[in-house]
């Protein structure tokens, strides 16, 4: 392929509001990548921990402002802060349509919904890990009103910390994560509760499959509740599909599930995509992702068949 230069416009500063696991990890990773980062958190201990990792602590935020706060706090996250009125605002919330409905009317095309598919069952600034985003998929929403230059600036933030950017709409994102994230949290809760009812012997015999199947329900209950309730419609629909699967004859169910897990893509096929909304969304819908920003295109990949 013909090589195109990477954009030479200086990367804007990044402000991170909320310095828990995701926000603290992002701020630390951006510092390591050489980006200018300012952070804020209502918790002084979180501010001190971020400052110790080289993050500038201040209420004045500009450039790309990242909201890394729980879903119920999203609407009020910028209150009391001095935010540049031209700043691009994104977030790390696990549900996108409700956040778009809250922030979109005020921010308009300045808002770019985001959701990095990483994190662990741990929480708080003590769980900060600058390598958390390396190799992670990071969904970035492209709505009809999203300003593409701002979307690209947020994409550059994700790429700077080693993530792969998946373009999607808010509705597409919420449908997808209901199936692969939100229902698994509910199933993990059901598995753990069922084992608890089975008694001490069952819990004593629990091994790898139980551990793997219940890991995510070790997350903060308030976080999980806000996540599944915030995406109630798609999660209910996805859970209904799970119940339909469980009603199948067990040999058929086992075979169907095994086929999905064993029949993944044979690899990745590199692609170059123009900086255009429809083309970027097509990449995401094909299961692909952006891995590099060029001057007139982005580079990425789609799954290779067979």
């Amino acid at each position: 392929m013909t090589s195109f230069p990477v954009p030479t416009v200086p990367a804007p500063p990044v402000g991170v509001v909320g310095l828990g696991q995701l926000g603290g990890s992002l701020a630390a990773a951006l510092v390591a990548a050489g980006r200018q980062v300012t952070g804020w958190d209502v918790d002084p201990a979180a501010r001190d921990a971020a400052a110790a990792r080289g993050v500038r602590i201040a209420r004045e935020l500009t450039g790309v402002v990242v909201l890394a706060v729980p879903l119920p706090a999203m609407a009020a996250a910028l209150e009391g802060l001095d935010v540049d009125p031209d700043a691009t605002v994104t977030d790390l919330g696990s549900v996108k349509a409700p956040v778009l409905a809250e922030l979109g009317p005020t921010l308009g095309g300045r808002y770019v919904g985001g959701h990095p598919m990483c994190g662990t069952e741990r929480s708080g600034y003590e769980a900060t890990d600058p390598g958390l985003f390396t190799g992670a998929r990071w969904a970035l929403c492209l709505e009809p009103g999203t300003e593409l230059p701002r979307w690209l600036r947020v994409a550059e933030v994700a790429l700077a910390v080693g993530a792969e950017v998946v373009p999607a709409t808010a509705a597409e994102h919420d449908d997808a994560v209901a199936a692969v994230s939100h229902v698994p949290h509910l199933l993990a809760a059901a598995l753990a509760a069922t084992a608890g009812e089975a008694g001490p012997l069952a819990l004593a015999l629990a091994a790898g499959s139980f551990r793997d199947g219940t890991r995510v329900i070790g997350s903060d209950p308030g976080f999980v509740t806000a996540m599944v309730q915030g995406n109630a419609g798609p999660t209910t629909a996805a859970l209904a599909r799970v119940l339909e699967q469980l009603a199948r004859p067990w040999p058929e169910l086992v075979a169907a599930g095994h086929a999905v897990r064993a029949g993944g893509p044979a690899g990745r096929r590199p692609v170059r995509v123009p900086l255009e909304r429809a083309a970027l969304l097509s990449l995401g819908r094909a299961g692909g992702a952006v891995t590099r920003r060029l001057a007139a295109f982005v580079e990425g990949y789609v799954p290779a068949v067979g």
Side-chain angles (χ1 to χ4, degrees), residues 21-33 53 116-120 122 127-138 158 160-164:
Q21 183 189 47
L22 285 179
S25 297
L26 177 61
L30 287 168
V31 168
R53 297 185 179 95
M117 300 299 293
C118 53
T120 70
R122 300 172 63 209
T128 293
D129 175 10
L132 186 66
F133 303 95
T134 302
R137 294 293 192 89
W138 189 316
V161 296
E164 299 174 348

Side-chain angles (χ1 to χ4, degrees), residues 183-198 202-203 206 208-217 246:
V183 163
H185 275 82
L186 294 175
L187 294 179
L191 286 173
T194 299
E197 292 175 351
L203 293 174
S209 60
F210 179 77
R211 180 188 64 244
D212 294 344
T214 59
R215 178 187 63 82
V216 293
I217 205 56
L246 290 172

Side-chain angles (χ1 to χ4, degrees), residues 32-266:
R35 294 291 294 266
Q36 180 183 341
V37 186
T38 300
W40 183 259
D41 196 292
V42 295
D43 182 356
R47 298 199 299 267
D48 291 344
R53 297 185 179 95
V55 179
R56 174 178 176 268
I57 302 299
R59 295 175 181 267
E60 296 77 32
L61 305 174
T62 187
V64 177
V65 177
V66 183
L67 307 183
V69 299
L71 288 171
M74 202 72 73
L78 296 178
E79 291 182 1
L81 302 179
D82 183 6
V83 180
D84 183 342
D86 191 46
T88 297
V89 179
T90 186
D91 73 298
L92 307 182
S94 55
V95 179
K96 297 275 64 79
V99 181
L100 176 62
E102 281 190 321
L103 301 183
T106 301
L107 298 173
R110 294 171 51 212
Y111 169 67
V112 181
H115 180 204
M117 300 299 293
C118 53
T120 70
E121 68 276 12
R122 300 172 63 209
S123 61
Y125 66 88
E126 300 94 339
T128 293
D129 175 10
L132 186 66
F133 303 95
T134 302
R137 294 293 192 89
W138 189 316
L140 278 186
C141 295
L142 261 174
E143 307 303 320
T146 304
E147 297 176 19
L148 187 56
R150 295 182 185 276
W151 187 92
L152 289 167
R153 280 310 194 189
V154 179
E156 290 167 2
V157 170
L159 295 172
V161 296
E164 299 174 348
V165 174
V166 180
T169 66
E172 288 172 339
H173 166 276
D174 289 358
D175 284 343
V177 296
V180 300
S181 176
H182 302 172
V183 163
H185 275 82
L186 294 175
L187 294 179
L191 286 173
T194 299
E197 292 175 351
L201 175 60
L203 293 174
L205 293 174
S209 60
F210 179 77
R211 180 188 64 244
D212 294 344
T214 59
R215 178 187 63 82
V216 293
I217 205 56
S219 303
D220 177 71
F223 164 79
V224 176
T225 299
M227 178 177 66
V228 296
Q229 289 185 338
N231 199 28
T235 300
T236 299
L239 187 58
R241 295 195 297 271
V242 171
L243 295 175
E244 290 176 1
Q245 292 288 342
L246 290 172
R248 298 174 66 179
W250 292 346
E252 290 182 13
L253 173 59
V254 170
H258 177 78
V260 171
R261 289 292 290 158

